[in-house]
Amino acid sequence: MRALRAAIVFIAAVFVAAGVFFLLAWRSEIPEDAAAAQASFAPDLVAKGAQLAALGNCIACHTVPGKPAFSGGLAVPTPFGTIYSTNITPDRETGIGGWNEAAFQRAMNEGVDRNGSHLYPAFPYDHFTRVSEEDNRALYAFLMTRAAVKAEAPENDLQFPLTFRPLLACWKLLFFDRGELEPDSGQSEAWTRGRYLAEGLGHCGACHTPRNAFGAEDRDRNFGGGEAEGWQAYAINKDSKAPIPWDEQSLAFYLRNGWHEFHGVSRGPMAEVTGNLSALPDSDIMAIATYVTSIMGDPTPERGERAAQLREQFEGDRLEQTADSQSSLVSASGAGSGEAIYIAACASCHEGRQRQPFGGLNFELSTAVNAPNPQNIVNIVLFGLPPADGEASAVMPAFRHLLNDQQVADVLAYMRERFSEEPAWAGLVELVANTRSGAHKVTIRPSDGIERAPHNVGAEEG
Amino acid sequence: MSISLTVNGSPHQIDADPSTPLLYVLRDDLALNGAKYGCGLGQCGSCTVVVDGEAVLSCMVPVMLLEGREITTIEGLGTIDDPGPLQQAFIELQAAQCGYCIPGMMMSAHALLRRNAQPSDEDIREALATNLCRCGTHMRILAAIRRAGELMKAASLPESDERRAG
Ligand code: FES
Ligand code: FES
């Protein structure tokens, strides 16, 4: 009897739990709108949407390099498996051609697709939920006026139970803070605008904020440094390691131009970001800089003092410097050591007279040398900065054919020791070996991200 | 310091500071003047040579890294009397204007053709992305490299057109 009652209670509990879960997880399907892709939109709205799509860097994830823009299919590796981006062109069968605006608004807002399925947070709706209805309307107009491309993305390759999408409702319950941000009355208009852009469509935190075991951004460490496509996204809060701290002017310049004389050139996935930001007006770029530097806060007095010295040393015309490839003698230091390699192979550019963005950044100014994780500098030494196709761009030769793993590790250890106060990096040789072999996968792109910049893959069409 | 280098199959003993760029040793010590000094900063590609099958910028490579490695320069691809297929193709299609960039272009192409005897234009562009030509002969360079691929195939020398030079 007791056992039977227990069984009944248990079964009832299971049903209640299932019911609650169902209510939590269930989203209605928004019926397919056969006419959606035929709708016409005001040119102004489409133009605004183009700008917003550039800010959101939609193209970067929703395009396979060399394939038509927004047609999806790019493999996005995550700690939980590989997710393939979807086709967001207005193709009715394989894209979002059957989506009405409400379906699009809901996807941005709640991370739910037209069918009512929860989307994986690789699509950063934790940020896009901050985007206004009006801006989503413009984005929708832009996407629905692109050329429709028939392209089916490959199936996601995820571990069970993550393939069961309703589970994402639990993830959302725990980690998803839906809706626009409250205004902060103590802040300037520029700051508020900057926060809207950076926290919303710009989704800076998607790369620059560390993630917890469930893949959600750790809000307590906002902008504390993360990872993207095999690159470190540096901390852009008080933990920033930039030897000359960022300020509004330098950050705005960097975001506008893709380089800064005290910080070097943007590269890796950031190159695409700065490339795409060219669509935004100066006022928006400045607003983002205002907001992000407010998160960084004022540097400590020691950092400030050190920065003042460095500015003096590197501002304007560089001091007469000795190194070029003809005059660096290393006989004194044992050949083969990290120092000898640095002097012979690196100093000619990095201590030369060429200025940014075409000269090498002096490592006294380098965030990479000061970063807690050496991944970026390993990537750059091995693979270099490939030139942009048919445009002037920063270039660095790759050294993977010249230096073995131990030599790369030696030169980096020497640079860390010489140019940084931070402790030596551990496990360098292994990291170099894994990066070289591809065990640690790194995406290498030209310094201006041209391969996926809008004009190269056809975002202007339609 | 004495360093031993193998260039175009021949061993050489040279006396140089270990940090000396390979380019200077080639030109000044070995009188191999094919590789050109353009920028000295790894930006133009005119100094390109091949080391162990890979195109590298000789102005950037200190000789201390090269002991025991196979260095090939444009002189290793053939002679005036007996040009190799790449050289023949460049002459046939008159791919040079001033010619300053051409040895570098040919060495990048040589590394490419060793890996891939029938490269697409896309492959060629990618392999030569770090070689600049200020005269603008790019279209003829592309054509010459395609032609070299054909010549090599015809001569069934798909692997390599390296010659031994003194
Ligand atoms: S001379 Fe070596 S790259 Fe220009
Ligand atoms: S032919 Fe003159 S630089 Fe290329």
PDB file of all heavy atoms in Angstrom, chain B residues 97-101 133-135 137, ligand 2:
ATOM      1  N   GLN B  97      58.661  43.396 -66.037  1.00  0.00           N
ATOM      2  CA  GLN B  97      58.799  44.752 -66.565  1.00  0.00           C
ATOM      3  C   GLN B  97      60.192  45.201 -66.157  1.00  0.00           C
ATOM      4  O   GLN B  97      61.165  44.942 -66.836  1.00  0.00           O
ATOM      5  CB  GLN B  97      57.677  45.633 -66.009  1.00  0.00           C
ATOM      6  CG  GLN B  97      57.763  47.060 -66.407  1.00  0.00           C
ATOM      7  CD  GLN B  97      56.906  47.351 -67.643  1.00  0.00           C
ATOM      8  OE1 GLN B  97      56.543  46.469 -68.393  1.00  0.00           O
ATOM      9  NE2 GLN B  97      56.616  48.612 -67.837  1.00  0.00           N
ATOM     10  N   CYS B  98      60.338  45.792 -64.957  1.00  0.00           N
ATOM     11  CA  CYS B  98      61.700  46.106 -64.513  1.00  0.00           C
ATOM     12  C   CYS B  98      62.404  44.860 -63.994  1.00  0.00           C
ATOM     13  O   CYS B  98      63.615  44.771 -63.968  1.00  0.00           O
ATOM     14  CB  CYS B  98      61.689  47.175 -63.428  1.00  0.00           C
ATOM     15  SG  CYS B  98      61.270  46.545 -61.793  1.00  0.00           S
ATOM     16  N   GLY B  99      61.614  43.900 -63.533  1.00  0.00           N
ATOM     17  CA  GLY B  99      62.176  42.625 -63.114  1.00  0.00           C
ATOM     18  C   GLY B  99      62.614  42.525 -61.661  1.00  0.00           C
ATOM     19  O   GLY B  99      63.020  41.455 -61.206  1.00  0.00           O
ATOM     20  N   TYR B 100      62.509  43.624 -60.940  1.00  0.00           N
ATOM     21  CA  TYR B 100      63.047  43.607 -59.574  1.00  0.00           C
ATOM     22  C   TYR B 100      62.314  42.619 -58.670  1.00  0.00           C
ATOM     23  O   TYR B 100      62.923  41.966 -57.828  1.00  0.00           O
ATOM     24  CB  TYR B 100      62.991  45.016 -58.968  1.00  0.00           C
ATOM     25  CG  TYR B 100      64.004  45.221 -57.869  1.00  0.00           C
ATOM     26  CD1 TYR B 100      65.345  45.463 -58.175  1.00  0.00           C
ATOM     27  CD2 TYR B 100      63.634  45.147 -56.527  1.00  0.00           C
ATOM     28  CE1 TYR B 100      66.283  45.639 -57.173  1.00  0.00           C
ATOM     29  CE2 TYR B 100      64.569  45.325 -55.518  1.00  0.00           C
ATOM     30  CZ  TYR B 100      65.888  45.573 -55.847  1.00  0.00           C
ATOM     31  OH  TYR B 100      66.828  45.744 -54.867  1.00  0.00           O
ATOM     32  N   CYS B 101      61.022  42.520 -58.845  1.00  0.00           N
ATOM     33  CA  CYS B 101      60.230  41.639 -57.971  1.00  0.00           C
ATOM     34  C   CYS B 101      60.296  40.180 -58.423  1.00  0.00           C
ATOM     35  O   CYS B 101      59.877  39.288 -57.691  1.00  0.00           O
ATOM     36  CB  CYS B 101      58.768  42.075 -57.974  1.00  0.00           C
ATOM     37  SG  CYS B 101      57.952  41.782 -59.570  1.00  0.00           S
ATOM     38  N   CYS B 133      54.607  43.903 -56.645  1.00  0.00           N
ATOM     39  CA  CYS B 133      55.210  44.301 -57.914  1.00  0.00           C
ATOM     40  C   CYS B 133      54.788  45.732 -58.183  1.00  0.00           C
ATOM     41  O   CYS B 133      53.608  46.015 -58.301  1.00  0.00           O
ATOM     42  CB  CYS B 133      54.728  43.396 -59.042  1.00  0.00           C
ATOM     43  SG  CYS B 133      55.251  44.003 -60.663  1.00  0.00           S
ATOM     44  N   ARG B 134      55.752  46.620 -58.253  1.00  0.00           N
ATOM     45  CA  ARG B 134      55.368  48.027 -58.438  1.00  0.00           C
ATOM     46  C   ARG B 134      55.136  48.355 -59.911  1.00  0.00           C
ATOM     47  O   ARG B 134      54.607  49.397 -60.245  1.00  0.00           O
ATOM     48  CB  ARG B 134      56.427  48.939 -57.850  1.00  0.00           C
ATOM     49  CG  ARG B 134      57.772  48.715 -58.489  1.00  0.00           C
ATOM     50  CD  ARG B 134      58.896  49.321 -57.726  1.00  0.00           C
ATOM     51  NE  ARG B 134      60.122  48.811 -58.324  1.00  0.00           N
ATOM     52  CZ  ARG B 134      61.321  49.232 -58.079  1.00  0.00           C
ATOM     53  NH1 ARG B 134      61.499  50.191 -57.206  1.00  0.00           N
ATOM     54  NH2 ARG B 134      62.365  48.713 -58.661  1.00  0.00           N
ATOM     55  N   CYS B 135      55.581  47.464 -60.813  1.00  0.00           N
ATOM     56  CA  CYS B 135      55.337  47.724 -62.232  1.00  0.00           C
ATOM     57  C   CYS B 135      53.949  47.264 -62.659  1.00  0.00           C
ATOM     58  O   CYS B 135      53.474  47.632 -63.723  1.00  0.00           O
ATOM     59  CB  CYS B 135      56.367  47.014 -63.095  1.00  0.00           C
ATOM     60  SG  CYS B 135      58.033  47.565 -62.764  1.00  0.00           S
ATOM     61  N   THR B 137      52.851  43.964 -63.260  1.00  0.00           N
ATOM     62  CA  THR B 137      52.802  42.907 -64.276  1.00  0.00           C
ATOM     63  C   THR B 137      52.039  41.667 -63.777  1.00  0.00           C
ATOM     64  O   THR B 137      52.229  40.571 -64.307  1.00  0.00           O
ATOM     65  CB  THR B 137      54.221  42.459 -64.676  1.00  0.00           C
ATOM     66  OG1 THR B 137      54.858  41.943 -63.511  1.00  0.00           O
ATOM     67  CG2 THR B 137      55.029  43.592 -65.234  1.00  0.00           C
TER      68      THR B 137
HETATM   69  S1  FES C   2      58.371  43.908 -62.668  1.00  0.00           S
HETATM   70 FE1  FES C   2      59.012  45.736 -61.720  1.00  0.00          FE
HETATM   71  S2  FES C   2      58.517  45.390 -59.658  1.00  0.00           S
HETATM   72 FE2  FES C   2      57.579  43.745 -60.635  1.00  0.00          FE
END
